[in-house]
């Protein structure tokens, strides 16, 4: 299959970031052609058949209650006494036909097309993304009315899904919060049906309920976005202030009132100075991008170094890497929490590689001053740094 993740992400353009992102829900209509080649039922069947999806990775839920594991799996004991739970297809079918919803967490780690979708979303929205899969067959709410502690981008893949949106009752609630979120209103503020190709964006904290519409089957992907909050910013500032002796020093537990106040004043002054920096949020996001977790991928069989083979294919594994130049023209690549400095002739190669597409080594050196051997050495550095991967010729 040929996945088209970038075509999905491109539809989050226009005024989406300025008017909807982090503010309100938005439905972006589409059609089946919009998601052609992304995912189908055969892909799902193959993944369930070939992977040991131990709970809670794969789970069933009905009316907000988790279906017992032994209701749709068979306990297996391997030769070395390893115990695992194998999906029993007939029992799985039965529970789904009765109205249970099936969930597979981190589906982007199991399917190349969905992995591409997550990667493209990470690049577009500058956020860590995890994609969960949901499949249901009956007009029964698998999880009841609930809210998520992260924004979501929902892509309807097949069938129809009815959504009821109740809105938020607490602005920007968090997983670790200081107060309970008030219950949702009795009536939804919006109700609609998603069909194949439709996209829904829903901010965190918005109460909602979901069911297969009119009893038709439904398959959709929920892309969870990692939130970046004021708590994260303040925590980062506090971490950077560890460089200050005042922050590292013990508090004067047995000191006088004046001594205690003096320490408080010093700490306050340090925090105020940092918070007065108009570039603070930009610096923090630069730090987040530079420290982005990598979707690791080995480069077997090339365990020693990348060969100078024109047909070897390379690609970056990070979505939020940055490429810059120094005053003397050297190229600096920052990715996965590390930085690499290469001589100026490597800059065209790195620019091509930074587009997140897969490139043949021969194409990476085209119209550059680099030899294949030099290009292979550059790629080897990035592979050793776990921010790039290569695969053999096809």
């Amino acid at each position: 299959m040929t996945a088209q993740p970038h075509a999905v992400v491109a539809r989050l353009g226009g005024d989406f970031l300025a008017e909807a992102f982090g503010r309100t829900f938005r439905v972006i209509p589409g059609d089946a052609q919009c998601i052609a080649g992304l995912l189908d039922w055969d892909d799902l069947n193959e993944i369930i058949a070939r992977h040991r999806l131990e709970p809670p990775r794969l789970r069933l839920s009905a009316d907000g209650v988790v279906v017992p594991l032994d209701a749709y799996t068979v306990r297996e004991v391997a030769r070395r006494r390893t115990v695992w739970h194998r999906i029993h297809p007939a029992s799985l079918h039965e529970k789904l036909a009765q109205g249970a919803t099936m969930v597979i967490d981190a589906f982007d780690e199991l399917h190349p097309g969905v992995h591409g979708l997550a990667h493209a979303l990470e690049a577009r929205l500058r956020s860590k993304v995890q994609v969960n899969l949901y499949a249901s067959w009956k007009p029964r709410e698998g999880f009841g009315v609930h809210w998520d502690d992260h924004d979501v981008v929902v892509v309807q893949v097949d069938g129809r899904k009815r959504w009821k949106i109740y809105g938020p009752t607490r602005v920007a609630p968090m997983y670790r919060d200081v107060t309970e979120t008030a219950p949702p209103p009795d009536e939804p503020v919006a109700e609609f049906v998603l069909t194949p190709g439709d996209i829904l964006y829903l901010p965190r904290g918005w109460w909602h309920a979901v069911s297969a519409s009119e009893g038709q089957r439904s398959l959709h992907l929920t892309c969870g976005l990692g939130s970046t909050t004021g708590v994260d910013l303040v925590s980062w500032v506090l971490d950077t202030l560890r460089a200050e002796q005042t922050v590292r020093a013990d508090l004067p537990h047995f000191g006088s009132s004046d001594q205690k106040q003096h320490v408080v004043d010093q700490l306050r002054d340090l925090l105020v100075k940092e918070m007065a920096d108009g570039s603070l949020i930009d610096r923090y996001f630069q730090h987040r991008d530079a420290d982005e977790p990598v979707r690791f991928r080995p480069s077997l069989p090339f365990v020693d170094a990348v060969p100078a083979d024109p047909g070897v294919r390379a690609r970056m594994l990070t979505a939020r890497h940055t490429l810059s130049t120094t005053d003397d023209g050297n190229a600096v690549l920052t990715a996965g929490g590390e930085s690499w400095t290469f001589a100026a002739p490597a800059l065209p190669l790195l620019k091509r590689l930074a587009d997140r597409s897969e490139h043949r080594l021969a194409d990476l050196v085209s119209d550059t001053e680099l030899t294949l051997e030099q290009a292979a050495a550059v790629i080897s550095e990035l592979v050793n740094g776990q921010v790039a991967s290569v695969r053999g010729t096809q």
Side-chain angles (χ1 to χ4, degrees), residues 110-381:
L110 301 170
H111 184 274
V114 179
H115 177 278
L117 172 62
H119 196 71
L121 277 171
E122 288 175 343
R124 173 75 174 179
L125 301 178
R126 317 302 287 180
S127 172
K128 180 64 178 174
V129 173
Q130 176 178 307
V131 184
N132 294 349
L133 176 143
Y134 293 80
S136 55
W137 280 258
K138 300 293 183 180
R140 184 178 178 183
E141 296 175 357
F143 302 93
V145 182
H146 66 285
W147 59 270
D148 297 313
D149 63 357
H150 51 269
D151 293 11
V152 298
V153 173
V154 176
V155 180
Q156 187 69 26
V157 175
D158 187 57
R160 298 162 64 87
K161 198 78 171 183
R162 180 173 296 278
W163 287 74
K164 296 179 182 179
I165 308 297
Y166 295 83
T169 53
R170 175 171 169 77
V171 177
M174 305 181 69
Y175 172 68
R176 294 174 58 194
D177 214 330
V178 295
T179 187
E180 293 290 333
T181 300
D186 294 332
E187 297 297 326
V189 298
E191 185 171 353
F192 48 84
V193 174
L194 296 185
T195 59
D198 290 345
I199 295 175
L200 166 66
Y201 166 74
L202 193 66
R204 63 186 167 108
W206 281 57
W207 291 93
H208 59 279
V210 191
S211 63
S213 178
E214 290 85 36
Q216 296 185 25
R217 71 189 184 194
S218 169
L219 180 66
H220 80 260
L221 301 169
T222 293
C223 309
L225 313 180
S227 299
T228 306
T229 69
V231 172
D232 299 312
L233 175 66
V234 172
S235 296
W236 176 68
V237 168
L238 293 177
D239 281 339
T240 63
L241 287 177
R242 293 175 191 269
E244 301 288 341
Q245 179 179 336
T246 302
V247 175
R248 300 195 311 271
D250 292 346
L251 295 176
H253 193 164
F254 302 104
S256 66
S257 297
D258 288 342
Q259 289 173 324
K260 293 175 182 178
Q261 186 60 50
H262 178 67
V263 170
V264 170
D265 291 343
Q266 287 182 306
L267 294 174
R268 181 199 59 225
D269 291 345
L270 288 171
L271 285 171
V272 168
K273 180 181 178 180
E274 286 295 316
M275 291 298 180
D277 182 357
S279 66
L280 180 62
I281 290 180
D282 289 336
R283 288 197 293 117
Y284 174 57
F285 278 120
Q286 290 171 2
H287 160 77
R288 291 274 293 205
D289 285 352
D291 205 38
E292 168 200 3
V294 178
R295 293 177 175 271
F296 295 114
R297 184 178 186 274
S299 297
L300 302 176
F302 310 117
V303 296
D304 293 322
V306 175
D309 182 336
V312 165
R313 297 170 182 268
R315 66 181 176 93
M316 291 293 295
L317 297 176
T318 52
R320 306 198 297 277
H321 44 262
T322 59
L323 183 61
S324 60
T325 56
T326 62
D327 292 339
D328 55 1
N330 289 333
V332 180
L333 177 71
T334 302
E338 301 289 342
S339 290
W340 291 263
T341 300
F342 297 99
L347 183 59
L349 178 153
L350 294 170
K351 285 183 176 179
R352 293 170 184 169
L353 197 63
D355 71 2
R356 305 173 184 87
S357 300
E358 188 175 71
H359 298 272
R360 295 172 61 248
L361 199 58
D363 297 328
L364 288 172
V365 300
S366 177
D367 299 325
T368 74
E369 301 175 17
L370 299 177
T371 65
L372 281 173
E373 288 75 14
Q374 291 171 326
V378 171
I379 301 299
S380 292
E381 285 289 324

Side-chain angles (χ1 to χ4, degrees), residues 85-105:
H85 296 86
R86 177 173 57 82
I87 295 293
H88 188 272
S91 299
L92 177 68
H93 293 174
E94 178 184 8
K95 293 303 176 185
L96 295 174
Q98 291 173 354
T101 293
M102 178 172 64
V103 186
I104 301 180
D105 284 351

